[in-house]
Amino acid sequence: NKIWEVSAYTLHLNAREGFFDGIKRDRLIWGGDAYQSFFVNYYLMNDNDIVRRTLRILRGAEPMTAHINTIPDYTFYWIMGIWEYYFHTGDIDFVRTLYPQMRSTMAFIRSRLDEDGLYTKYNGDWVFVDWSKFDKDSGPFCAEQMLLCRAYTCMASCAALLGYAEEEITYRAEASSLEEKINARYWDEA
């Protein structure tokens, strides 16, 4: 119970204009930290206004010129976070409001893919993958492709929700194609 109370209190302390990464650390809104906070929030506080604010703050203004927090993972989490928001709230109007930015975010992501449709580190990107220790300059990496695949799936679900059938088909096809590439390129039976 004490661990739960400390955890709940910590989330409350970090819930300000948006979900901060830590009240004594950067006190910034980081996409990966926020994405995790969303899930805890839905069950602890169910404060949907802070989720909406955080998603708006993270995305920023048009045009998109860098990944969210310069981290590709966090851009993928942003798209995933919008679908998860809808899944937990049923608030289609918020999805409709952000969908134009979701489209431009996907256009930005696509501009950073290699000839095989894989995300590869671009100059200025911080390949993060949650503090993992591996050579992050020799990608493309499986973890990034898996997050991108999930982002495609979430885009497809949002497109379907809003009645954009052609976009749904495109995003599902991109997810399917990327999943095949992930399995072919990264799966090791041993």
Side-chain angles (χ1 to χ4, degrees), residues 20 64 150:
F20 289 173
M64 188 169 193
R150 178 67 181 147

Side-chain angles (χ1 to χ4, degrees), residues 123-140:
N123 189 28
D125 291 353
W126 175 13
V127 174
F128 182 60
V129 193
D130 202 22
W131 299 112
S132 56
K133 294 181 182 178
F134 59 88
D135 176 11
K136 295 179 183 172
D137 290 319
S138 63

Side-chain angles (χ1 to χ4, degrees), residues 24-58:
K24 291 186 177 183
R25 285 200 40 201
D26 304 347
R27 291 175 292 204
L28 297 173
I29 299 174
W30 290 90
D33 302 70
Y35 183 70
Q36 295 172 37
S37 296
F38 297 159
F39 289 102
V40 178
N41 167 69
Y42 295 131
Y43 295 99
L44 178 65
M45 304 183 304
N46 201 31
D47 181 349
N48 299 320
D49 188 47
I50 194 170
V51 175
R52 290 188 298 269
R53 286 193 316 265
T54 302
L55 287 166
R56 284 188 185 111
I57 291 167
L58 282 169

Side-chain angles (χ1 to χ4, degrees), residues 30-103:
W30 290 90
D33 302 70
Y35 183 70
Q36 295 172 37
S37 296
F38 297 159
F39 289 102
V40 178
N41 167 69
Y42 295 131
Y43 295 99
L44 178 65
M45 304 183 304
N46 201 31
D47 181 349
N48 299 320
D49 188 47
I50 194 170
V51 175
R52 290 188 298 269
R53 286 193 316 265
T54 302
L55 287 166
R56 284 188 185 111
I57 291 167
L58 282 169
R59 178 49 177 78
E62 296 287 356
M64 188 169 193
T65 59
H67 281 288
I68 292 172
N69 304 122
T70 71
I71 302 173
D73 323 16
Y74 289 10
T75 301
F76 306 144
Y77 284 136
W78 183 79
I79 291 170
M80 294 157 50
I82 294 167
W83 171 251
E84 292 294 343
Y85 171 82
Y86 172 75
F87 180 81
H88 285 89
T89 68
D91 184 355
I92 191 172
D93 291 332
F94 184 69
V95 177
R96 186 176 287 111
T97 298
L98 283 189
Y99 197 75
Q101 286 181 300
M102 293 175 75
R103 280 179 175 143

